[in-house]
Amino acid sequence: YNHKYHTLLTATFSHIDVNHFLMNMFTLYFFGSEALRQLGNKKFMILYFGGGLFSSCCYVLWPYRNLSNKPRRYSLELHKQALGASGAISSVLFFVISSNPMSTIYIYFIIPVPAILLGCFFVASDYLSVVNNSWNATGGVAHIGGAVFGASYYFFRRYGTRLLK
């Protein structure tokens, strides 16, 4: 990235293809409206941009997780291409799931599933892609980073520093 730190945030506005864009916007439309209702504009923007930035950082730092095999300097060869708002949208999704874990989400508008179960499925799916080093492993790292940020944002807003005691 050659000190182009702004790409940590601007990458969340790019998409790899039309299907990726449509899936992200579909998810943002339904879950973003609920998060916006709960938070208001300013706090929603903190959630969205914070989630996007945190998930991008997770993606960039992922190759350096094994300190015994740490490269001497940053290299683009360590990364696959990663674009999209998925990490930011994952933070919105998991904020809503954390605030309403027993609410019902309809998959394909037909199959009712508790929100918490759907969230567990998403995290497990991304986790498996990461540990199996599948084609979507880097996306999985960003999705999990967004999920952690969104859930953390909810719990720190709800319980504050009481969580740390």
Side-chain angles (χ1 to χ4, degrees):
Y1 291 97
N2 297 330
H3 303 289
K4 295 180 182 176
Y5 301 113
H6 64 281
T7 60
L8 292 171
L9 194 57
T10 59
T12 64
F13 295 102
S14 305
H15 289 86
I16 217 85
D17 58 30
V18 173
N19 289 336
H20 186 216
F21 173 78
L22 292 175
M23 183 59 80
N24 278 337
M25 294 306 103
F26 180 80
T27 305
L28 183 61
Y29 177 78
F30 287 103
F31 292 95
S33 59
E34 176 60 21
L36 186 60
R37 185 189 66 73
Q38 290 183 39
L39 296 170
N41 292 341
K42 185 176 179 182
K43 291 174 184 163
F44 177 81
M45 297 301 276
I46 293 169
L47 170 64
Y48 186 86
F49 288 117
L53 187 60
F54 185 78
S55 63
S56 289
C57 289
C58 290
Y59 162 76
V60 168
L61 295 174
W62 180 251
Y64 302 97
R65 71 195 178 284
N66 185 353
L67 295 178
S68 64
N69 194 18
K70 183 180 174 187
R72 292 183 186 262
R73 63 186 186 93
Y74 184 82
S75 171
L76 281 177
E77 288 75 39
L78 295 173
H79 296 284
K80 297 177 184 173
Q81 185 180 27
L83 294 172
S86 301
I89 291 172
S90 183
S91 70
V92 172
L93 173 65
F94 278 85
F95 174 84
V96 173
I97 288 173
S98 297
S99 66
N100 301 298
M102 298 313 292
S103 64
T104 301
I105 297 172
Y106 289 89
I107 300 174
Y108 301 116
F109 301 104
I110 299 170
I111 305 166
V113 177
I116 190 74
L117 185 62
L118 187 65
C120 289
F121 172 78
F122 283 145
V123 169
S125 173
D126 285 324
Y127 176 77
L128 288 174
S129 77
V130 170
V131 297
N132 292 327
N133 203 22
S134 76
W135 66 271
N136 192 31
T138 55
V141 170
H143 295 165
I144 293 169
V148 167
F149 186 89
S152 298
Y153 190 75
Y154 169 76
F155 285 107
F156 277 104
R157 283 188 42 75
R158 173 89 163 89
Y159 300 105
T161 57
R162 290 180 289 163
L163 281 177
L164 303 175
K165 293 180 181 178

